[in-house]
Amino acid sequence: AMSGRAVEAAGDIDVLLLDKTGTITLGNRMAHEFIPISGTTPKTLAENAYLASFADLTPEGRSIVKLAGEQGVKIAEPQGAQIIPFSAETRMSGVDIGGLAIRKGAVDAVQSWVGTVHENIVSEIKRITEKIAASGGTPLVVSRGKEPLGVIHLKDIVKPGISQRFIRIRAMGMKSIMITGDNYLTAKAIAAEAGVDDFLAQAKPEDKLRLIKKYQLEGGMVAMTGDGTNDAPALAQSDVGLVMNTGTQAAREAGNMIDLDSDPTKIIEIVEIGKQLLITRGSLTTFSIANDVAKYFAIIPAI
């Protein structure tokens, strides 16, 4: 704990916000399947998914490259390519090669980037992504230029035993809210499996910040757990910012507690310690007042 005030405040927490990836889930989403749309061959989708991911060093990016290799894709890394890194604002990544832009990213983000496409393509992508999202997976759309090619199915796993921990959190009077950049259907499926009270889907850093301020203006004490750079503003704004030990440097500097075990539900133990501190302080205050009462109403009259 980097702030005694934070430990004390933990005893009064009303709302607990948790980042999904790496906190509620294991965070190592892996590419499970390439699903091309009509008119696109599986090989074309796999090749373009590879090109959009060869410079992506995240576990998701590495898994896409691996899956493409398993499906027979053998492409030398293009020379002179301009790498487009992922950002929380664009929610896409990819590469520009000789004037050709290849992107992969969140469904709505890629659709906005692509612009107007044939209604049949939109309907087919929606059907594929809704099926993936309903299973708790994460869909990523791949586009070459302004032409959508298909969807990558990423699978993530909820941490074992997490639902029982949320039952304890609820019994302690705290509301748990999962925050994720995933679409609504994926967020809904993960939230139901994990057992949280509510969720915020397609969340950007400013959305997290806005949600925390909303509860604080209503008089609530808010705790936030996270591990990423995009969690840093929310961790700094919250009354108790619990950062995973595996988190980024920006997140660790923004929070006021670091969980060495990287267990997001460690907040339960922190809240219990905070309540014990409040009880102990109350007992000491009561003893002090009782001592004063005894002094004025028993000792002095006796003298």
Side-chain angles (χ1 to χ4, degrees):
M2 293 172 284
S3 166
R5 175 75 185 90
V7 180
E8 186 176 310
D12 293 322
I13 291 300
D14 303 303
V15 181
L16 172 60
L17 307 182
L18 304 103
D19 184 53
K20 187 208 79 170
T21 306
T23 305
I24 290 177
T25 62
L26 293 176
N28 52 344
R29 294 182 298 185
M30 298 296 176
H32 174 66
E33 183 182 11
F34 295 134
I35 307 173
I37 62 173
S38 302
T40 302
T41 65
K43 182 180 179 182
T44 299
L45 175 58
E47 287 175 348
N48 283 273
Y50 169 85
L51 289 171
S53 306
F54 77 90
D56 185 350
L57 300 180
T58 64
E60 293 93 335
R62 297 296 86 201
S63 70
I64 292 170
V65 170
K66 180 181 178 182
L67 181 60
E70 291 173 352
Q71 297 191 4
V73 173
K74 295 180 180 179
I75 303 176
E77 293 186 6
Q79 300 298 317
Q82 181 183 356
I83 308 302
I84 309 298
F86 174 85
S87 73
E89 287 71 31
T90 63
R91 296 163 62 221
M92 293 189 303
S93 63
V95 64
D96 290 343
I97 306 173
L100 179 64
I102 301 172
R103 298 288 187 274
K104 73 174 192 300
V107 180
D108 58 323
V110 174
Q111 285 180 342
S112 297
W113 179 77
V114 168
T116 304
V117 294
H118 197 280
E119 188 176 335
N120 291 342
I121 295 176
V122 175
S123 299
E124 187 174 4
I125 290 176
K126 183 179 180 181
R127 177 180 56 79
I128 294 170
T129 56
E130 285 182 350
K131 183 178 179 181
I132 293 171
S135 69
T138 301
L140 294 181
V141 175
V142 178
S143 179
R144 180 179 58 196
K146 301 299 181 179
E147 177 192 1
L149 300 176
V151 184
I152 304 171
H153 179 184
L154 297 179
K155 293 186 73 173
D156 203 351
I157 301 172
V158 173
K159 289 185 176 180
I162 195 118
S163 58
Q164 287 75 21
R165 304 280 271 178
F166 283 124
I167 291 172
R168 283 186 62 193
I169 287 173
R170 194 174 299 110
M172 296 170 74
M174 289 188 291
K175 179 179 182 179
S176 56
I177 302 175
M178 181 188 78
I179 303 176
T180 176
D182 290 336
N183 65 50
Y184 179 85
L185 287 174
T186 300
K188 183 178 180 181
I190 296 292
E193 185 178 353
V196 295
D197 297 317
D198 201 357
F199 63 91
L200 177 65
Q202 296 178 329
K204 295 180 180 179
E206 56 267 29
D207 297 325
K208 302 175 186 180
L209 201 58
R210 194 179 301 117
L211 185 63
I212 290 174
K213 288 180 178 178
K214 171 180 174 289
Y215 282 109
Q216 288 175 332
L217 287 173
E218 293 173 357
M221 296 284 281
V222 181
M224 167 79 185
T225 67
D227 62 351
T229 301
N230 61 340
D231 296 325
L235 287 164
Q237 177 66 34
S238 60
D239 299 290
V240 178
L242 180 64
V243 187
M244 302 298 102
N245 196 33
T246 54
T248 63
Q249 185 64 29
R252 290 162 65 93
E253 290 178 359
N256 46 34
M257 289 189 192
I258 297 177
D259 178 10
L260 300 179
D261 295 332
S262 294
D263 176 6
T265 55
K266 183 68 68 63
I267 193 71
I268 295 174
E269 282 76 14
I270 294 171
V271 169
E272 288 173 344
I273 291 170
K275 289 185 183 296
Q276 287 171 8
L277 284 175
L278 293 174
I279 291 169
T280 302
R281 188 176 67 182
S283 299
L284 291 171
T285 303
T286 303
F287 174 79
S288 178
I289 294 172
N291 183 58
D292 289 340
V293 169
K295 181 167 64 178
Y296 289 109
F297 292 95
I299 298 173
I300 293 177
I303 292 174

